[in-house]
Amino acid sequence: MAINRYESVLPGGHIILGSSRGFMSEFTHFISGRSEPSSGKSMPIYNPSTGKEAGKVKLGLEKDVDLAVLAAKTAFRNWSKLGLQQRIDKIYDIRQALADNREQIIQLVVEQTGKTLADATAEVTRSVEIIGHATATTVLSATPYTRGVATGINTYEVRYPVGVVAAISPFNFPVMIPLLQSMMAIACGNTVVLKPSERNPAALLRIAELFTEAGLPDGVFNVVMGDRLVVDRIIEHPDVAAITFVGSTPVAREVRERGVARKKRVQAFGGGKNHLVIMPDTDIDFAANAAVSSAFGAAGQRCMAVSVVVAVGEIGDFLVEAIKSRAASIPVGGIDDASAQLGPVISEQSKRRIADCIETAANEGAEIVLDGRAEFSKEGEGWYIGPTIIDHVSPDMAAHRDEIFGPVLSIVRVDTYEEAIEIISASDFGNGAAIFTRDGSIATRFTDDAQAGQIGINVPIPSPVYFHGFAGWKDSAFTETKMHGRDAIDFLTRTKTVTNRTLEPIVKSDVTMEFVTR
């Protein structure tokens, strides 16, 4: 079946059509290699570009989680016993399945998330890379071997998968983040129960079906729809060995605390308030381009977005004008607008919350130099906020303290590098921090001084490649291990340390039938 801009195939052969055709589908679980009916209530799914209902999702109950965990636990017995290279061969197959169906998945992301075609394409392209990275498990999982720790004694470590891994994923990257959470887990021999955002599950459900078609054994990758009720059951379930969560900071903290109290391994990643420090020696045009792309890409709905520019010295007026002129020219539009570079935010609630944040900043004395709320006035035409720039923001204002999670950029002005560092250090968040400067000594100082998990030097979004670790500091992450690289292997496996003495074989005398007496 040909796939066009308005038409995509869903699990079970269903078709979801774009807003102009009004077809609606209902989404439910994918457990043990097939679609499973849900026991809970139906919830509407909306097209953010139009604000109109475009389908329904059936939320799960505790018994649906139990069914998925049982499927994963059952599949674990055989999947964990496969040789590592046998598992990697399957990973290659499912990577190819996603690559072959890339355009279809992109369209599903566009339709349910409201992303521009460029943003959705970038996400799915990186998702294919993520699966490819999981094939590096053969290298990353290597363990130490020490020969001759004593005469005739060698010591080495052996890795084992932890069991059933539960992943709880956000709406903003409905393909990339779930695959980041699950692919390395599967490669290590674990099985996965994944709860995606109930706002845009279509792409992930289609991927689950593609994985099964590509030969991934039933029960290795399961998807459960749901809300808080499902999350609570995941945390409480005795057969869930590890939880990986990405979402807001308050929920991340709660998942971490409750999961650890039940002796589970937990990685919980929260929000961010990322600072871009721009020094006076920086090329203003270069810095302004970077600030605009990193603040307004994906409509600002990403935890690594630059949401605060810290202008150092006397460059403030020039920098703000350069950023404003670029941001004002960004085309805003829906999925039917091929020229759009900034799409809608995910929901009506998000749109109103962001608009309230802008109003609060004005009431607190900041200057709104570019106001995206003009897009907010479009009634019945989707959930749009245009690029917004707030100047003369002080560190005590809500626009600086809180994660807005939208296309809003705050400008803080300081006199010195030291003041910029104080502002970053005082923030509750610590996902990322970047600096633009030509001064190598300042760059080195910034690497040491900035209190954040990811540091960028003349790079506005310092999100690392997958063979390096990712995790924020402070309230941006509640975990001892990072998400990518070797840390992911450590989180997803446990080791035994073996001390082995090799004994010489005992040489026995020939067998005799002679009767022996005392």
Side-chain angles (χ1 to χ4, degrees):
M1 179 179 293
I3 305 298
N4 60 39
R5 184 166 182 79
Y6 299 97
E7 186 172 274
S8 295
V9 179
L10 295 179
H14 294 109
I15 298 173
I16 185 167
L17 302 181
S19 58
S20 63
R21 304 194 188 181
F23 188 91
M24 304 229 271
S25 291
E26 188 168 79
F27 303 91
T28 186
H29 316 308
F30 191 87
I31 298 173
S32 199
R34 61 186 178 273
S35 294
E36 284 286 346
S38 174
S39 307
K41 63 183 180 181
S42 291
M43 179 186 125
I45 294 174
Y46 296 95
N47 181 336
S49 290
T50 64
K52 296 179 181 178
E53 187 173 333
K56 293 183 183 296
V57 60
K58 282 282 271 186
L59 302 179
L61 301 177
E62 291 95 336
K63 64 181 181 179
D64 300 302
V65 177
D66 294 347
L67 181 64
V69 173
L70 177 60
K73 182 180 178 181
T74 302
F76 177 75
R77 295 168 191 159
N78 291 328
W79 182 248
S80 61
K81 292 177 182 177
L82 278 180
L84 179 56
Q85 189 57 56
Q86 291 175 286
R87 294 199 300 267
I88 296 305
D89 288 344
K90 291 293 184 185
I91 301 293
Y92 278 117
D93 291 341
I94 64 177
R95 177 189 180 279
Q96 191 60 49
L98 179 55
D100 290 344
N101 292 271
R102 179 173 169 271
E103 296 303 320
Q104 185 186 117
I105 302 302
I106 289 170
Q107 191 56 43
L108 290 172
V109 172
V110 167
E111 289 170 350
Q112 287 200 340
T113 308
K115 289 190 175 187
T116 64
L117 183 60
D119 279 340
T121 299
E123 177 181 353
V124 176
T125 298
R126 293 199 70 183
S127 299
V128 175
E129 294 173 0
I130 287 166
I131 302 179
H133 173 62
T135 64
T137 303
T138 50
V139 176
L140 294 173
S141 62
T143 54
Y145 180 97
T146 304
R147 181 177 176 82
V149 294
T151 303
I153 297 178
N154 306 318
T155 299
Y156 56 94
E157 294 177 12
V158 183
R159 287 193 186 275
Y160 298 88
V162 296
V164 177
V165 176
I168 303 167
S169 305
F171 74 84
N172 57 330
F173 289 95
V175 174
M176 187 180 76
I177 291 179
L179 293 185
L180 269 175
Q181 293 173 294
S182 57
M183 293 317 305
M184 193 70 80
I186 290 172
C188 287
N190 302 288
T191 52
V192 171
V193 173
L194 193 146
K195 192 210 87 67
S197 171
E198 63 276 16
R199 293 171 172 173
N200 49 4
L204 191 69
L205 286 169
R206 179 60 181 142
I207 287 170
E209 186 179 59
L210 289 172
F211 285 0
T212 294
E213 293 171 359
L216 191 68
D218 293 349
V220 173
F221 185 70
N222 308 278
V223 181
V224 178
M225 300 294 105
D227 51 14
R228 172 81 187 228
L229 188 68
V230 164
V231 173
D232 286 344
R233 181 55 183 158
I234 285 172
I235 295 171
E236 295 166 359
H237 201 294
D239 290 330
V240 171
I243 300 173
T244 171
F245 171 91
V246 178
S248 69
T249 287
V251 181
R253 182 185 288 109
E254 180 183 353
V255 169
R256 166 73 177 187
E257 292 174 352
R258 292 177 59 196
V260 169
R262 288 165 174 79
K263 298 182 180 179
K264 302 182 189 298
R265 295 187 175 200
V266 182
Q267 286 184 328
F269 300 92
K273 195 71 179 179
N274 307 309
H275 295 77
L276 172 56
V277 177
I278 300 180
M279 299 298 292
D281 64 340
T282 303
D283 179 272
I284 295 296
D285 289 330
F286 178 63
N289 287 336
V292 168
S293 64
S294 56
F296 303 122
Q301 297 176 121
R302 52 189 179 189
C303 65
M304 286 298 292
V306 166
S307 52
V308 181
V309 162
V310 183
V312 180
E314 298 180 353
I315 62 170
D317 290 342
F318 300 103
L319 180 62
V320 170
E321 185 57 37
I323 292 174
K324 177 184 175 181
S325 65
R326 288 161 172 78
S329 66
I330 296 175
V332 178
I335 62 176
D336 297 333
D337 184 354
S339 67
Q341 296 179 21
L342 194 154
V345 295
I346 190 64
S347 68
E348 175 76 15
Q349 180 184 15
S350 291
K351 183 175 77 168
R352 294 191 178 280
R353 178 185 54 75
I354 294 165
D356 288 345
C357 290
I358 298 168
E359 184 66 23
T360 297
N363 292 338
E364 289 183 336
E367 179 184 355
I368 313 299
V369 299
L370 183 64
D371 194 341
R373 288 175 293 177
E375 300 294 338
F376 177 70
S377 65
K378 290 184 177 181
E379 294 297 334
E381 298 180 15
W383 302 317
Y384 296 92
I385 293 283
T388 299
I389 299 171
I390 308 175
D391 194 10
H392 298 289
V393 173
S394 61
D396 61 333
M397 292 181 180
H400 179 263
R401 294 194 316 270
D402 301 335
E403 184 182 35
I404 298 175
F405 218 63
V408 179
L409 178 63
S410 298
I411 311 290
V412 177
R413 303 189 185 211
V414 298
D415 293 326
T416 66
Y417 165 83
E418 287 74 18
E419 289 178 81
I421 290 299
E422 288 176 7
I423 287 171
I424 295 173
S425 299
S427 174
D428 290 336
F429 298 105
N431 235 8
I435 190 168
F436 274 36
T437 181
R438 298 177 186 273
D439 188 329
S441 64
I442 289 291
T444 300
R445 286 182 61 190
F446 186 80
T447 299
D448 294 335
D449 293 343
Q451 300 297 299
Q454 282 73 231
I455 302 297
I457 307 299
N458 298 317
V459 174
I461 301 181
S463 188
V465 293
Y466 303 120
F467 41 86
H468 286 280
F470 176 98
W473 286 16
K474 298 185 280 189
D475 285 354
S476 289
F478 305 91
T479 176
E480 296 85 15
T481 54
K482 293 178 179 284
M483 184 179 286
H484 308 165
R486 291 185 182 276
D487 267 23
I489 304 293
D490 290 338
F491 176 69
L492 296 163
T493 62
R494 21 180 209 174
T495 61
K496 293 179 181 179
T497 302
V498 180
T499 302
N500 176 23
R501 171 182 280 131
T502 302
L503 299 177
E504 294 295 328
I506 298 175
V507 179
K508 296 183 178 180
S509 59
D510 294 337
V511 176
T512 177
M513 299 299 293
E514 181 180 353
F515 184 75
V516 178
T517 61
R518 296 188 178 208

